[in-house]
Amino acid sequence: DRATMDMKHRAARLQEFREALDKKKLEMMQEIQTLLSDASRAADNQTDFLKQHLKTQDGKSRHAKSFLKDAKSIFSELEKAMEDTGDTTMQSQISETSKQMANLQSRVDTAETQLIQSCKEANSASEMFHKKDLNKLEETDLQRLADLQAKMKEILPQFEQLKDMSDAAALKSRDLQLCEQRLIASWERLHPRIATALKSKLTVGDASLDTVKSAIASGKVSTALKELKKAEEAYQMFKAATEVVKP
């Protein structure tokens, strides 16, 4: 047919491809809407970036940011294709989809920004304790340390969970990656110091009791009383500290 000047065949092919193109545009829009629906469900009622995910059919968790990334990629191609086509129906859908996508992206970006700020605050708290003598913490310090422990207990498993998600490499911005790395490094240095500081209270008490035993045996009652009091204070400090802070 290409060797002839017959337009009938060519007209038929034009119509065929017009219909195929229209069908493809609708399929792409439907795929975008499905991805945005999944992104919305993943982010639904969640202001915590680390929890903005859901299970997919393959059993893996996928983050709202990952759904949005794929939706934006398809949308970009479709939007470019629809420029100056005069297809007002599709252009209206594109305009509404753009607003929907921007709204979801804002929710995810806000959650990530809040997580970065939370990480920075936790890292500042951790670094503050690196400068302190953990054997001489006041009651307010113990509460701050307990709050930091609780935060790390919550956030570390969630960071680990992100690593196993689909499209994991694209989920965290550079700022979040750096903040996470600094926080984990600081905590890994601080955590064993907490255990050591708490254990030192027991060591002091145990040593004082050993002195009490020998002092009683040698008749040094005043020394025995002094060391007994020291042991009691050390054990009380350990008990009070471990009621707030876990070794």
Side-chain angles (χ1 to χ4, degrees), residues 30-222:
Q30 183 58 54
E31 187 174 0
I32 292 168
Q33 289 301 324
T34 299
L35 287 164
L36 293 182
S37 175
D38 288 338
S40 180
R41 287 192 300 117
D44 191 32
N45 298 321
Q46 282 292 352
T47 57
D48 186 340
F49 181 81
L50 296 177
K51 296 179 181 178
Q52 290 182 328
H53 58 84
L54 53 77
K55 288 277 189 182
T56 54
Q57 290 183 347
D58 61 5
K60 289 187 176 182
S61 290
R62 191 174 183 189
H63 199 276
K65 190 172 183 177
S66 176
F67 289 118
L68 278 168
K69 175 174 168 283
D70 284 356
K72 289 169 72 175
S73 176
I74 300 169
F75 180 85
S76 176
E77 178 61 30
L78 187 57
E79 184 181 39
K80 183 169 60 176
M82 294 310 300
E83 290 177 357
D84 303 322
T85 62
D87 187 341
T88 56
T89 300
M90 180 60 75
Q91 287 173 345
S92 176
Q93 286 183 322
I94 285 175
S95 178
E96 289 302 312
T97 301
S98 179
K99 293 175 184 176
Q100 183 184 3
M101 198 156 45
N103 178 267
L104 281 168
Q105 189 68 57
S106 176
R107 287 165 60 187
V108 172
D109 289 346
T110 297
E112 185 172 14
T113 298
Q114 290 173 345
L115 175 59
I116 291 170
Q117 183 60 35
S118 180
C119 277
K120 287 180 178 178
E121 291 171 358
N123 188 53
S124 294
S126 181
E127 289 300 314
M128 178 193 71
F129 283 111
H130 281 296
K131 300 173 184 177
K132 286 181 173 287
D133 182 349
L134 298 185
N135 294 309
K136 299 178 180 178
L137 295 180
E138 303 292 335
E139 186 174 340
T140 53
D141 291 325
L142 288 173
Q143 187 56 57
R144 290 193 191 100
L145 190 54
D147 292 342
L148 177 60
Q149 275 192 323
K151 182 67 177 176
M152 297 307 296
K153 186 176 181 181
E154 174 190 7
I155 203 171
L156 289 182
Q158 292 176 5
F159 272 130
E160 283 298 314
Q161 191 176 10
L162 275 186
K163 295 178 182 178
D164 296 327
M165 289 187 191
S166 302
D167 207 15
L171 294 182
K172 289 180 276 190
S173 65
R174 181 62 177 162
D175 285 346
L176 181 55
Q177 289 179 37
L178 288 174
C179 196
E180 177 192 359
Q181 289 167 5
R182 289 169 182 162
L183 176 59
I184 291 175
S186 181
W187 180 248
E188 285 178 347
R189 288 186 291 119
L190 179 62
H191 188 257
R193 289 187 60 216
I194 297 171
T196 299
L198 292 173
K199 187 177 179 181
S200 72
K201 305 296 183 188
L202 295 179
T203 302
V204 169
D206 293 346
S208 291
L209 282 185
D210 290 340
T211 303
V212 169
K213 181 179 179 180
S214 60
I216 291 174
S218 60
K220 296 180 179 179
V221 179
S222 60

